[in-house]
Amino acid sequence: MGRRTLPRFLSENPTVTRVREFSRTVADNAADVLHPLIVVSRGLRSLAASGRRKWAETPKERRGPTVVLVGSCVFIVALVPYGPVLATIGLMAAAAWAGRRNAPEPAAEVDEADTGRLQALYEALVPYFAAPGDPAPLYAHGGSWRAAFEGHAFDDRGRLTALRLRYPAYFTDGDAESRTRIEQLLHLKAGRGREYRFDWDEAGNRLTLHALPALDTDVFAQRFVTAPGEAVLGFTDASDVQRTLPVTAGDETRDAPPVVWRTGQRSTEPHLLALGQPSSGTTTLLRSITLQVLHHGDVVVVDGSGAGEYAFLRGRDGVLAVESSLPGALATLEWAAHETERRLLTANHARQQGRPTPEDIRRPLWVIVDRPTVLSHLARGEGRRDPQELLQVPLRHGRVGNVTVAVGEQLDGYEQLTEPVRTHTRARLVLGAVTPDQVCTALGAPPHTTPARDVPPGRGYARLGSGPVHRVQVPHTPNPYDEETTDAQREAVLSLLPETAPAPGDAEDAWSYADPAPVTAPAPVPAFPPVSGPVSASAYASVSDYAQGPGLDPDSTEGGVRAAWATAVPAADDGGPTWAGTDPMWLSVDSTQAGPGLAWAGAELTEAGQGRPGHGPAGPDSGDRSGPHHPGTDPKPLQAT
C-alpha cells in the first residue's frame, strides 16, 4: 500500500502547520541539549559490551584472579582522596570517546564519462582475472567495477592518473609474463604517451597504477655536491632514492633526487657501461662523468667515433690523453693496462713493508672509452690487437688500483663487446626510446615503468649492480665547440674544466707531445752476483740503491728499467732471481703514452731479452721469437740478472 497523504484541510490549515514547525524545532533543540547525554549513554553501552566480550573470552581458571584484581583496584580508588570523583570523570570521558560517531565522508562523485572508462577497463580485465570454477567471481562479464576497484583518480583532462584494484588470489602474479600482460593492458586502456608505474602487492592481492610525470630536462652541467669517488649519473623520481642534491635550473635552485655512482676500492660497481640508441645521450653522459671526476683524479679518454666530441679536454690539467685514432688508442689503453699493474705492484710492496700507499696510487685514474667496437673493427681490418683486450686488466684489477673504466656503446654493438667488458661493468645505463626487452637485456632486470614512446636525449634507465631499476635523466652536457651550443651552455661546460696544463716543451712538463727524438740507451747496469739465500732488509736497500741510484723509490717502475730491476730481489734457495709480489711486467716500446720512463725502459731492452709470444715482428699470435728484435714493435719483459 502506498503512503496516504493528509487531507487537504489539514495540510492547508495554518494552525496545523505552525504546530508541526514548533514540534520540529523542539525536537531539534532537545537533541542538541541531550546530545552529550546520548553520546555518553552510547559509550557506556559500548564499554559494557566490550567488557562482556572480554569476560566471555577470559578462560575460567583466570576469572577468579581477574575479579580479585578488579576489586583491589576499586578498593584502592575508594580510599584515595577524591578517588571516586576522578574515577567517575575518567569513566565519563572514556564513554564519551567510545560513543562518538564520526560523520561519514561523502562518497566521491564520479561522472558518467569516468564511470564508462572504469567499466570498460573492468570488462577488459575479465578474461585475465576470471576463472570458470570461481563460485563468487570478482571479475565477471556484466559485473560492476565498484567491488574490484578500491581507488581511482582522474586529472582535469579526464585521464586516469591513479588506480588501485584487487585481483583474485589464484592469479599467477609471480609469473613475469602474466604481470606483463596486465601492465600492457592497463597501459593501453589508461592512455598512451605517458609512463606508468606498477606496484604489485602479492601478499594482499593488490595492484596500484600511477601515472608518472616527466622528468625535468632543465638541469645542465654544473658542480654537484658529491664526495670524491662519486659521480652523478642523472636524476630520477623522488620516491626511488633517499638523497637529494641542490641543483641550479635556469634562475632557480631546487633539490633534485640523484642517481649517484660510487667508485673506489670499496665499491661493488667499480666500472660502468652506457648503452643507447644513436643520439640518445651516451656521449653526453661520458662528458658529464669526465667533468665531475677531473677535480679528484686523472682521466684518459679514447674516442672511437672520431667525431672530436672530447677535443675540448686536450691540454687540461688532469687529462693525460685524448685519442681518437687506432694507434693512439692502442698505445693509450696499453699504458692504462701497464699503469694498473704498476699500481698493484706498488701497493702490494707498500703493504708488505708496512708503509702507506703512495699518493700517486691513491689518486684515481679514469679510463673513458666511447664506441670501442668501432676501434675493434678497424683493428681487425689492419691485423692489429683488439683494443678491448687491453681493457681486460683495468676491468679485472682496477678496483684495487683505483682505476675506473667507463664505456659507452650503441645498442646495436652490444653483442660485439667482449666478455670482460660485459661481465665487469656492473653499473649499467640504457638511454633512448627502448623496449622492455632491450632494457631487460642491457640491465638484467625489467623496468618497473612502461617506457615512453618519445623521450628527450639523455632519458633512460639506470641500475647499479643488483639494485632496482631507476628512471634517469642525464644532465645536459653539450660539446662546447659545437656550433649548435648556446653561449650559456658553452660557459657552463668550460667553467667546469680545470686549469690548462703546461704547454709541451716547458720545464715543468714531464710529457712530450711532439715526435720523440731518437732515444739513446743508457750505459748498461753492472750485474750483481747471484745470492744463494734470502736477502735481508739492509741488503735489499743496498741492492735497490745500487740498481737505481739515489732518490728513486724501489717500489716504483716510473724510473725506467733500473727502478723495476730493483723489485727482482733473489730470495729463492736456488739462487735464481724471483719477482717480489707479482709476475714480470711487460712494457711496450711503441707506447709513448706512459712517459719518458717507459720509453727509456723499452729502448734499453731492445738489445736483450725475449719477446712475448704472439707479439713479435712475425705478426700477432705467431709465437715466432727467432727473428731480430726491432725497437718500437716488440714488447719486452723486464729481466733480472
Side-chain angles (χ1 to χ4, degrees):
M1 297 178 58
R3 184 178 179 181
R4 298 181 61 183
T5 60
L6 293 174
R8 182 176 298 178
F9 71 93
L10 292 178
S11 60
E12 296 179 356
N13 192 347
T15 304
V16 176
T17 303
R18 286 196 301 270
V19 170
R20 187 186 304 113
E21 293 178 356
F22 177 75
S23 61
R24 290 177 179 175
T25 303
V26 171
D28 294 340
N29 294 335
D32 294 339
V33 173
L34 300 177
H35 180 71
L37 183 59
I38 295 173
V39 172
V40 171
S41 61
R42 187 189 306 125
L44 290 175
R45 290 197 305 269
S46 177
L47 292 178
S50 178
R52 288 194 301 269
R53 186 170 57 256
K54 291 292 184 182
W55 179 260
E57 294 176 356
T58 304
K60 293 183 179 181
E61 63 272 8
R62 295 180 57 185
R63 291 183 180 181
T66 303
V67 172
V68 174
L69 179 61
V70 173
S72 302
C73 294
V74 173
F75 181 73
I76 294 173
V77 170
L79 295 180
V80 174
Y82 304 103
V85 177
L86 295 177
T88 303
I89 294 175
L91 179 62
M92 293 299 103
W97 181 263
R100 77 191 191 282
R101 287 182 178 178
N102 297 328
E105 297 180 359
E109 297 183 359
V110 183
D111 56 11
E112 295 182 359
D114 297 342
T115 302
R117 295 190 185 93
L118 294 176
Q119 186 63 31
L121 184 58
Y122 173 83
E123 293 291 343
L125 292 172
V126 169
Y128 301 94
F129 287 151
D134 192 353
L138 184 61
Y139 291 83
H141 294 285
S144 176
W145 58 268
R146 299 183 183 276
F149 297 165
E150 295 182 346
H152 56 272
F154 292 89
D155 57 7
D156 52 357
R157 300 172 57 182
R159 298 187 303 174
L160 185 66
T161 58
L163 178 66
R164 180 178 175 84
L165 58 88
R166 299 166 52 198
Y167 58 86
Y170 51 78
F171 175 72
T172 56
D173 51 5
D175 185 13
E177 295 182 359
S178 301
R179 295 169 60 151
T180 302
R181 287 195 297 266
I182 299 299
E183 294 176 359
Q184 291 178 352
L185 176 63
L186 294 176
H187 182 203
L188 295 176
K189 294 297 182 181
R192 297 183 179 181
R194 294 183 297 172
E195 292 184 84
Y196 296 93
R197 181 185 182 92
F198 299 95
D199 297 324
W200 291 82
D201 182 11
E202 294 86 352
N205 297 326
R206 301 292 190 277
L207 173 59
T208 304
L209 175 145
H210 294 285
L212 299 176
L215 295 177
D216 296 329
T217 59
D218 56 350
V219 179
F220 290 85
Q222 57 191 278
R223 184 71 61 86
F224 299 111
V225 184
T226 56
E230 293 183 346
V232 177
L233 301 181
F235 297 91
T236 182
D237 300 305
S239 60
D240 292 345
V241 294
Q242 300 178 356
R243 177 180 176 181
T244 58
L245 293 179
V247 297
T248 302
D251 298 335
E252 63 176 2
T253 301
R254 64 173 184 270
D255 293 338
V259 178
V260 180
W261 175 35
R262 295 176 178 86
T263 61
Q265 294 184 353
R266 291 173 176 82
S267 174
T268 57
E269 302 86 21
H271 308 295
L272 177 137
L273 174 61
L275 301 171
Q277 302 288 355
S279 302
S280 60
T282 55
T283 303
T284 297
L285 172 65
L286 296 181
R287 275 197 299 260
S288 176
I289 294 175
T290 303
L291 292 177
Q292 295 180 52
V293 304
L294 263 180
H295 300 277
H296 306 291
D298 299 326
V299 178
V300 171
V301 181
V302 175
D303 183 12
S305 62
E309 296 290 340
Y310 304 91
F312 66 97
L313 297 173
R314 294 183 182 273
R316 296 290 178 172
D317 188 16
V319 181
L320 304 183
V322 178
E323 297 291 346
S324 58
S325 62
L326 179 59
L330 290 174
T332 301
L333 296 179
E334 186 177 5
W335 174 85
H338 296 157
E339 175 66 12
T340 304
E341 294 177 351
R342 186 193 70 85
R343 288 172 175 246
L344 294 177
L345 178 65
T346 306
N348 185 24
H349 286 179
R351 294 188 184 99
Q352 289 179 358
Q353 300 174 9
R355 297 187 291 105
T357 307
E359 182 64 27
D360 61 336
I361 305 301
R362 294 196 298 266
R363 183 173 176 82
L365 173 63
W366 293 74
V367 181
I368 309 297
V369 184
D370 195 359
R371 301 295 303 279
T373 58
V374 177
L375 296 175
S376 299
H377 179 73
L378 294 176
R380 287 192 299 268
E382 297 181 9
R384 297 198 178 193
R385 190 177 182 183
D386 190 353
Q388 297 187 55
E389 296 180 4
L390 300 173
L391 290 174
Q392 184 173 358
V393 174
L395 288 171
R396 291 183 181 274
H397 310 288
R399 185 175 65 88
V400 181
N402 279 335
V403 179
T404 303
V405 180
V407 181
E409 188 52 65
Q410 294 185 3
L411 276 173
D412 54 3
Y414 177 73
E415 297 297 334
Q416 302 177 14
L417 295 175
T418 59
E419 188 64 25
V421 175
R422 290 185 291 181
T423 303
H424 296 283
T425 52
R426 290 177 48 83
R428 295 289 186 90
L429 283 93
V430 55
L431 305 177
V434 293
T435 62
D437 294 337
Q438 291 176 332
V439 176
C440 187
T441 302
L443 305 183
H448 296 289
T449 61
T450 56
R453 181 174 52 187
D454 299 326
V455 295
R459 176 69 174 81
Y461 296 92
R463 189 188 186 199
L464 302 178
S466 58
V469 179
H470 300 289
R471 294 198 309 163
V472 67
Q473 178 65 46
V474 177
H476 187 48
T477 311
N479 182 9
Y481 294 165
D482 194 352
E483 297 178 355
E484 299 181 358
T485 304
T486 62
D487 295 339
Q489 297 174 0
R490 184 178 297 104
E491 286 295 329
V493 174
L494 294 179
S495 63
L496 299 177
L497 293 175
E499 298 295 333
T500 305
D506 292 349
E508 62 270 22
D509 183 22
W511 294 65
S512 178
Y513 294 89
D515 294 335
V519 180
T520 304
V525 180
F528 52 86
V531 182
S532 58
V535 179
S536 62
S538 59
Y540 176 79
S542 62
V543 170
S544 301
D545 297 338
Y546 176 80
Q548 291 180 254
L552 295 180
D553 186 6
D555 297 331
S556 174
T557 59
E558 290 182 338
V561 65
R562 296 175 182 267
W565 204 338
T567 62
V569 181
D573 295 337
D574 55 356
T578 58
W579 285 83
T582 184
D583 295 332
M585 182 177 297
W586 293 84
L587 300 179
S588 177
V589 179
D590 61 348
S591 174
T592 59
Q593 299 293 329
L598 183 58
W600 174 39
E604 187 176 2
L605 293 175
T606 55
E607 299 179 358
Q610 296 295 332
R612 183 165 46 165
H615 292 77
D621 300 329
S622 63
D624 184 9
R625 302 188 300 273
S626 59
H629 301 289
H630 301 278
T633 60
D634 190 10
K636 305 297 180 183
L638 291 179
Q639 300 291 342
T641 304

mmCIF file with all atom_site columns, all heavy atoms in Angstrom, residues 120-138:
data_model
loop_
_atom_site.group_PDB
_atom_site.id
_atom_site.type_symbol
_atom_site.label_atom_id
_atom_site.label_alt_id
_atom_site.label_comp_id
_atom_site.label_asym_id
_atom_site.label_entity_id
_atom_site.label_seq_id
_atom_site.pdbx_PDB_ins_code
_atom_site.Cartn_x
_atom_site.Cartn_y
_atom_site.Cartn_z
_atom_site.occupancy
_atom_site.B_iso_or_equiv
_atom_site.pdbx_formal_charge
_atom_site.auth_seq_id
_atom_site.auth_comp_id
_atom_site.auth_asym_id
_atom_site.auth_atom_id
_atom_site.pdbx_PDB_model_num
ATOM 1   N N   . ALA A 1 120 ? 34.768 0.050   -18.733 1.00 0.00 ? 120 ALA A N   1
ATOM 2   C CA  . ALA A 1 120 ? 35.469 -0.539  -19.881 1.00 0.00 ? 120 ALA A CA  1
ATOM 3   C C   . ALA A 1 120 ? 36.769 -1.199  -19.447 1.00 0.00 ? 120 ALA A C   1
ATOM 4   O O   . ALA A 1 120 ? 37.130 -2.281  -19.939 1.00 0.00 ? 120 ALA A O   1
ATOM 5   C CB  . ALA A 1 120 ? 35.736 0.546   -20.931 1.00 0.00 ? 120 ALA A CB  1
ATOM 6   N N   . LEU A 1 121 ? 37.487 -0.575  -18.523 1.00 0.00 ? 121 LEU A N   1
ATOM 7   C CA  . LEU A 1 121 ? 38.714 -1.179  -18.011 1.00 0.00 ? 121 LEU A CA  1
ATOM 8   C C   . LEU A 1 121 ? 38.412 -2.464  -17.245 1.00 0.00 ? 121 LEU A C   1
ATOM 9   O O   . LEU A 1 121 ? 39.147 -3.453  -17.342 1.00 0.00 ? 121 LEU A O   1
ATOM 10  C CB  . LEU A 1 121 ? 39.443 -0.175  -17.118 1.00 0.00 ? 121 LEU A CB  1
ATOM 11  C CG  . LEU A 1 121 ? 40.802 -0.598  -16.550 1.00 0.00 ? 121 LEU A CG  1
ATOM 12  C CD1 . LEU A 1 121 ? 41.762 -0.955  -17.665 1.00 0.00 ? 121 LEU A CD1 1
ATOM 13  C CD2 . LEU A 1 121 ? 41.375 0.521   -15.678 1.00 0.00 ? 121 LEU A CD2 1
ATOM 14  N N   . TYR A 1 122 ? 37.319 -2.462  -16.501 1.00 0.00 ? 122 TYR A N   1
ATOM 15  C CA  . TYR A 1 122 ? 36.921 -3.676  -15.772 1.00 0.00 ? 122 TYR A CA  1
ATOM 16  C C   . TYR A 1 122 ? 36.584 -4.809  -16.733 1.00 0.00 ? 122 TYR A C   1
ATOM 17  O O   . TYR A 1 122 ? 37.015 -5.953  -16.537 1.00 0.00 ? 122 TYR A O   1
ATOM 18  C CB  . TYR A 1 122 ? 35.719 -3.339  -14.877 1.00 0.00 ? 122 TYR A CB  1
ATOM 19  C CG  . TYR A 1 122 ? 35.099 -4.531  -14.201 1.00 0.00 ? 122 TYR A CG  1
ATOM 20  C CD1 . TYR A 1 122 ? 35.617 -5.035  -13.023 1.00 0.00 ? 122 TYR A CD1 1
ATOM 21  C CD2 . TYR A 1 122 ? 33.984 -5.167  -14.756 1.00 0.00 ? 122 TYR A CD2 1
ATOM 22  C CE1 . TYR A 1 122 ? 35.051 -6.132  -12.398 1.00 0.00 ? 122 TYR A CE1 1
ATOM 23  C CE2 . TYR A 1 122 ? 33.412 -6.261  -14.145 1.00 0.00 ? 122 TYR A CE2 1
ATOM 24  C CZ  . TYR A 1 122 ? 33.949 -6.741  -12.964 1.00 0.00 ? 122 TYR A CZ  1
ATOM 25  O OH  . TYR A 1 122 ? 33.381 -7.834  -12.362 1.00 0.00 ? 122 TYR A OH  1
ATOM 26  N N   . GLU A 1 123 ? 35.846 -4.508  -17.771 1.00 0.00 ? 123 GLU A N   1
ATOM 27  C CA  . GLU A 1 123 ? 35.492 -5.544  -18.743 1.00 0.00 ? 123 GLU A CA  1
ATOM 28  C C   . GLU A 1 123 ? 36.728 -6.072  -19.474 1.00 0.00 ? 123 GLU A C   1
ATOM 29  O O   . GLU A 1 123 ? 36.780 -7.260  -19.824 1.00 0.00 ? 123 GLU A O   1
ATOM 30  C CB  . GLU A 1 123 ? 34.499 -4.979  -19.761 1.00 0.00 ? 123 GLU A CB  1
ATOM 31  C CG  . GLU A 1 123 ? 33.135 -4.628  -19.182 1.00 0.00 ? 123 GLU A CG  1
ATOM 32  C CD  . GLU A 1 123 ? 32.353 -5.866  -18.766 1.00 0.00 ? 123 GLU A CD  1
ATOM 33  O OE1 . GLU A 1 123 ? 32.706 -6.980  -19.212 1.00 0.00 ? 123 GLU A OE1 1
ATOM 34  O OE2 . GLU A 1 123 ? 31.397 -5.724  -17.987 1.00 0.00 ? 123 GLU A OE2 1
ATOM 35  N N   . ALA A 1 124 ? 37.726 -5.218  -19.682 1.00 0.00 ? 124 ALA A N   1
ATOM 36  C CA  . ALA A 1 124 ? 38.941 -5.679  -20.351 1.00 0.00 ? 124 ALA A CA  1
ATOM 37  C C   . ALA A 1 124 ? 39.759 -6.608  -19.458 1.00 0.00 ? 124 ALA A C   1
ATOM 38  O O   . ALA A 1 124 ? 40.503 -7.464  -19.952 1.00 0.00 ? 124 ALA A O   1
ATOM 39  C CB  . ALA A 1 124 ? 39.786 -4.480  -20.776 1.00 0.00 ? 124 ALA A CB  1
ATOM 40  N N   . LEU A 1 125 ? 39.657 -6.469  -18.145 1.00 0.00 ? 125 LEU A N   1
ATOM 41  C CA  . LEU A 1 125 ? 40.401 -7.315  -17.220 1.00 0.00 ? 125 LEU A CA  1
ATOM 42  C C   . LEU A 1 125 ? 39.715 -8.637  -16.926 1.00 0.00 ? 125 LEU A C   1
ATOM 43  O O   . LEU A 1 125 ? 40.328 -9.523  -16.312 1.00 0.00 ? 125 LEU A O   1
ATOM 44  C CB  . LEU A 1 125 ? 40.636 -6.566  -15.899 1.00 0.00 ? 125 LEU A CB  1
ATOM 45  C CG  . LEU A 1 125 ? 41.579 -5.361  -15.953 1.00 0.00 ? 125 LEU A CG  1
ATOM 46  C CD1 . LEU A 1 125 ? 41.563 -4.623  -14.626 1.00 0.00 ? 125 LEU A CD1 1
ATOM 47  C CD2 . LEU A 1 125 ? 42.996 -5.788  -16.310 1.00 0.00 ? 125 LEU A CD2 1
ATOM 48  N N   . VAL A 1 126 ? 38.453 -8.786  -17.319 1.00 0.00 ? 126 VAL A N   1
ATOM 49  C CA  . VAL A 1 126 ? 37.707 -10.018 -17.002 1.00 0.00 ? 126 VAL A CA  1
ATOM 50  C C   . VAL A 1 126 ? 38.374 -11.258 -17.591 1.00 0.00 ? 126 VAL A C   1
ATOM 51  O O   . VAL A 1 126 ? 38.529 -12.275 -16.891 1.00 0.00 ? 126 VAL A O   1
ATOM 52  C CB  . VAL A 1 126 ? 36.239 -9.880  -17.467 1.00 0.00 ? 126 VAL A CB  1
ATOM 53  C CG1 . VAL A 1 126 ? 35.517 -11.221 -17.394 1.00 0.00 ? 126 VAL A CG1 1
ATOM 54  C CG2 . VAL A 1 126 ? 35.521 -8.853  -16.620 1.00 0.00 ? 126 VAL A CG2 1
ATOM 55  N N   . PRO A 1 127 ? 38.816 -11.279 -18.855 1.00 0.00 ? 127 PRO A N   1
ATOM 56  C CA  . PRO A 1 127 ? 39.433 -12.517 -19.381 1.00 0.00 ? 127 PRO A CA  1
ATOM 57  C C   . PRO A 1 127 ? 40.711 -12.933 -18.663 1.00 0.00 ? 127 PRO A C   1
ATOM 58  O O   . PRO A 1 127 ? 41.089 -14.108 -18.717 1.00 0.00 ? 127 PRO A O   1
ATOM 59  C CB  . PRO A 1 127 ? 39.715 -12.171 -20.858 1.00 0.00 ? 127 PRO A CB  1
ATOM 60  C CG  . PRO A 1 127 ? 38.790 -11.058 -21.179 1.00 0.00 ? 127 PRO A CG  1
ATOM 61  C CD  . PRO A 1 127 ? 38.668 -10.267 -19.923 1.00 0.00 ? 127 PRO A CD  1
ATOM 62  N N   . TYR A 1 128 ? 41.386 -12.005 -17.985 1.00 0.00 ? 128 TYR A N   1
ATOM 63  C CA  . TYR A 1 128 ? 42.645 -12.323 -17.312 1.00 0.00 ? 128 TYR A CA  1
ATOM 64  C C   . TYR A 1 128 ? 42.447 -12.689 -15.846 1.00 0.00 ? 128 TYR A C   1
ATOM 65  O O   . TYR A 1 128 ? 43.248 -13.449 -15.288 1.00 0.00 ? 128 TYR A O   1
ATOM 66  C CB  . TYR A 1 128 ? 43.606 -11.132 -17.411 1.00 0.00 ? 128 TYR A CB  1
ATOM 67  C CG  . TYR A 1 128 ? 43.931 -10.733 -18.832 1.00 0.00 ? 128 TYR A CG  1
ATOM 68  C CD1 . TYR A 1 128 ? 43.214 -9.731  -19.481 1.00 0.00 ? 128 TYR A CD1 1
ATOM 69  C CD2 . TYR A 1 128 ? 44.953 -11.363 -19.528 1.00 0.00 ? 128 TYR A CD2 1
ATOM 70  C CE1 . TYR A 1 128 ? 43.507 -9.362  -20.779 1.00 0.00 ? 128 TYR A CE1 1
ATOM 71  C CE2 . TYR A 1 128 ? 45.266 -11.003 -20.831 1.00 0.00 ? 128 TYR A CE2 1
ATOM 72  C CZ  . TYR A 1 128 ? 44.531 -9.998  -21.448 1.00 0.00 ? 128 TYR A CZ  1
ATOM 73  O OH  . TYR A 1 128 ? 44.821 -9.649  -22.742 1.00 0.00 ? 128 TYR A OH  1
ATOM 74  N N   . PHE A 1 129 ? 41.415 -12.135 -15.201 1.00 0.00 ? 129 PHE A N   1
ATOM 75  C CA  . PHE A 1 129 ? 41.212 -12.355 -13.771 1.00 0.00 ? 129 PHE A CA  1
ATOM 76  C C   . PHE A 1 129 ? 40.047 -13.284 -13.459 1.00 0.00 ? 129 PHE A C   1
ATOM 77  O O   . PHE A 1 129 ? 39.803 -13.557 -12.280 1.00 0.00 ? 129 PHE A O   1
ATOM 78  C CB  . PHE A 1 129 ? 40.979 -11.017 -13.065 1.00 0.00 ? 129 PHE A CB  1
ATOM 79  C CG  . PHE A 1 129 ? 42.212 -10.169 -12.943 1.00 0.00 ? 129 PHE A CG  1
ATOM 80  C CD1 . PHE A 1 129 ? 42.124 -8.779  -12.914 1.00 0.00 ? 129 PHE A CD1 1
ATOM 81  C CD2 . PHE A 1 129 ? 43.465 -10.750 -12.864 1.00 0.00 ? 129 PHE A CD2 1
ATOM 82  C CE1 . PHE A 1 129 ? 43.258 -7.997  -12.798 1.00 0.00 ? 129 PHE A CE1 1
ATOM 83  C CE2 . PHE A 1 129 ? 44.607 -9.980  -12.758 1.00 0.00 ? 129 PHE A CE2 1
ATOM 84  C CZ  . PHE A 1 129 ? 44.505 -8.598  -12.721 1.00 0.00 ? 129 PHE A CZ  1
ATOM 85  N N   . ALA A 1 130 ? 39.326 -13.762 -14.450 1.00 0.00 ? 130 ALA A N   1
ATOM 86  C CA  . ALA A 1 130 ? 38.159 -14.618 -14.208 1.00 0.00 ? 130 ALA A CA  1
ATOM 87  C C   . ALA A 1 130 ? 38.535 -16.076 -14.427 1.00 0.00 ? 130 ALA A C   1
ATOM 88  O O   . ALA A 1 130 ? 39.387 -16.405 -15.258 1.00 0.00 ? 130 ALA A O   1
ATOM 89  C CB  . ALA A 1 130 ? 37.003 -14.223 -15.122 1.00 0.00 ? 130 ALA A CB  1
ATOM 90  N N   . ALA A 1 131 ? 37.899 -16.945 -13.648 1.00 0.00 ? 131 ALA A N   1
ATOM 91  C CA  . ALA A 1 131 ? 38.096 -18.398 -13.757 1.00 0.00 ? 131 ALA A CA  1
ATOM 92  C C   . ALA A 1 131 ? 36.721 -19.063 -13.835 1.00 0.00 ? 131 ALA A C   1
ATOM 93  O O   . ALA A 1 131 ? 35.783 -18.648 -13.136 1.00 0.00 ? 131 ALA A O   1
ATOM 94  C CB  . ALA A 1 131 ? 38.880 -18.938 -12.573 1.00 0.00 ? 131 ALA A CB  1
ATOM 95  N N   . PRO A 1 132 ? 36.575 -20.092 -14.665 1.00 0.00 ? 132 PRO A N   1
ATOM 96  C CA  . PRO A 1 132 ? 35.239 -20.719 -14.815 1.00 0.00 ? 132 PRO A CA  1
ATOM 97  C C   . PRO A 1 132 ? 34.707 -21.322 -13.524 1.00 0.00 ? 132 PRO A C   1
ATOM 98  O O   . PRO A 1 132 ? 33.504 -21.283 -13.270 1.00 0.00 ? 132 PRO A O   1
ATOM 99  C CB  . PRO A 1 132 ? 35.475 -21.794 -15.888 1.00 0.00 ? 132 PRO A CB  1
ATOM 100 C CG  . PRO A 1 132 ? 36.713 -21.356 -16.620 1.00 0.00 ? 132 PRO A CG  1
ATOM 101 C CD  . PRO A 1 132 ? 37.548 -20.661 -15.602 1.00 0.00 ? 132 PRO A CD  1
ATOM 102 N N   . GLY A 1 133 ? 35.558 -21.886 -12.676 1.00 0.00 ? 133 GLY A N   1
ATOM 103 C CA  . GLY A 1 133 ? 35.078 -22.559 -11.476 1.00 0.00 ? 133 GLY A CA  1
ATOM 104 C C   . GLY A 1 133 ? 34.991 -21.689 -10.250 1.00 0.00 ? 133 GLY A C   1
ATOM 105 O O   . GLY A 1 133 ? 34.787 -22.221 -9.142  1.00 0.00 ? 133 GLY A O   1
ATOM 106 N N   . ASP A 1 134 ? 35.119 -20.380 -10.372 1.00 0.00 ? 134 ASP A N   1
ATOM 107 C CA  . ASP A 1 134 ? 35.055 -19.492 -9.211  1.00 0.00 ? 134 ASP A CA  1
ATOM 108 C C   . ASP A 1 134 ? 33.599 -19.322 -8.782  1.00 0.00 ? 134 ASP A C   1
ATOM 109 O O   . ASP A 1 134 ? 32.771 -18.820 -9.550  1.00 0.00 ? 134 ASP A O   1
ATOM 110 C CB  . ASP A 1 134 ? 35.668 -18.139 -9.567  1.00 0.00 ? 134 ASP A CB  1
ATOM 111 C CG  . ASP A 1 134 ? 35.895 -17.270 -8.336  1.00 0.00 ? 134 ASP A CG  1
ATOM 112 O OD1 . ASP A 1 134 ? 35.461 -17.668 -7.241  1.00 0.00 ? 134 ASP A OD1 1
ATOM 113 O OD2 . ASP A 1 134 ? 36.515 -16.202 -8.471  1.00 0.00 ? 134 ASP A OD2 1
ATOM 114 N N   . PRO A 1 135 ? 33.228 -19.706 -7.525  1.00 0.00 ? 135 PRO A N   1
ATOM 115 C CA  . PRO A 1 135 ? 31.824 -19.576 -7.114  1.00 0.00 ? 135 PRO A CA  1
ATOM 116 C C   . PRO A 1 135 ? 31.394 -18.127 -6.921  1.00 0.00 ? 135 PRO A C   1
ATOM 117 O O   . PRO A 1 135 ? 30.215 -17.795 -7.113  1.00 0.00 ? 135 PRO A O   1
ATOM 118 C CB  . PRO A 1 135 ? 31.772 -20.352 -5.791  1.00 0.00 ? 135 PRO A CB  1
ATOM 119 C CG  . PRO A 1 135 ? 33.180 -20.326 -5.284  1.00 0.00 ? 135 PRO A CG  1
ATOM 120 C CD  . PRO A 1 135 ? 34.056 -20.327 -6.486  1.00 0.00 ? 135 PRO A CD  1
ATOM 121 N N   . ALA A 1 136 ? 32.299 -17.258 -6.490  1.00 0.00 ? 136 ALA A N   1
ATOM 122 C CA  . ALA A 1 136 ? 31.981 -15.844 -6.294  1.00 0.00 ? 136 ALA A CA  1
ATOM 123 C C   . ALA A 1 136 ? 33.017 -15.020 -7.041  1.00 0.00 ? 136 ALA A C   1
ATOM 124 O O   . ALA A 1 136 ? 33.966 -14.492 -6.435  1.00 0.00 ? 136 ALA A O   1
ATOM 125 C CB  . ALA A 1 136 ? 31.960 -15.488 -4.817  1.00 0.00 ? 136 ALA A CB  1
ATOM 126 N N   . PRO A 1 137 ? 32.886 -14.916 -8.346  1.00 0.00 ? 137 PRO A N   1
ATOM 127 C CA  . PRO A 1 137 ? 33.932 -14.235 -9.126  1.00 0.00 ? 137 PRO A CA  1
ATOM 128 C C   . PRO A 1 137 ? 33.967 -12.741 -8.833  1.00 0.00 ? 137 PRO A C   1
ATOM 129 O O   . PRO A 1 137 ? 32.927 -12.083 -8.727  1.00 0.00 ? 137 PRO A O   1
ATOM 130 C CB  . PRO A 1 137 ? 33.531 -14.520 -10.577 1.00 0.00 ? 137 PRO A CB  1
ATOM 131 C CG  . PRO A 1 137 ? 32.057 -14.735 -10.516 1.00 0.00 ? 137 PRO A CG  1
ATOM 132 C CD  . PRO A 1 137 ? 31.771 -15.380 -9.198  1.00 0.00 ? 137 PRO A CD  1
ATOM 133 N N   . LEU A 1 138 ? 35.187 -12.248 -8.677  1.00 0.00 ? 138 LEU A N   1
ATOM 134 C CA  . LEU A 1 138 ? 35.364 -10.810 -8.506  1.00 0.00 ? 138 LEU A CA  1
ATOM 135 C C   . LEU A 1 138 ? 35.272 -10.087 -9.839  1.00 0.00 ? 138 LEU A C   1
ATOM 136 O O   . LEU A 1 138 ? 34.840 -8.932  -9.895  1.00 0.00 ? 138 LEU A O   1
ATOM 137 C CB  . LEU A 1 138 ? 36.714 -10.539 -7.840  1.00 0.00 ? 138 LEU A CB  1
ATOM 138 C CG  . LEU A 1 138 ? 37.057 -9.095  -7.494  1.00 0.00 ? 138 LEU A CG  1
ATOM 139 C CD1 . LEU A 1 138 ? 36.049 -8.527  -6.508  1.00 0.00 ? 138 LEU A CD1 1
ATOM 140 C CD2 . LEU A 1 138 ? 38.480 -8.994  -6.938  1.00 0.00 ? 138 LEU A CD2 1
#
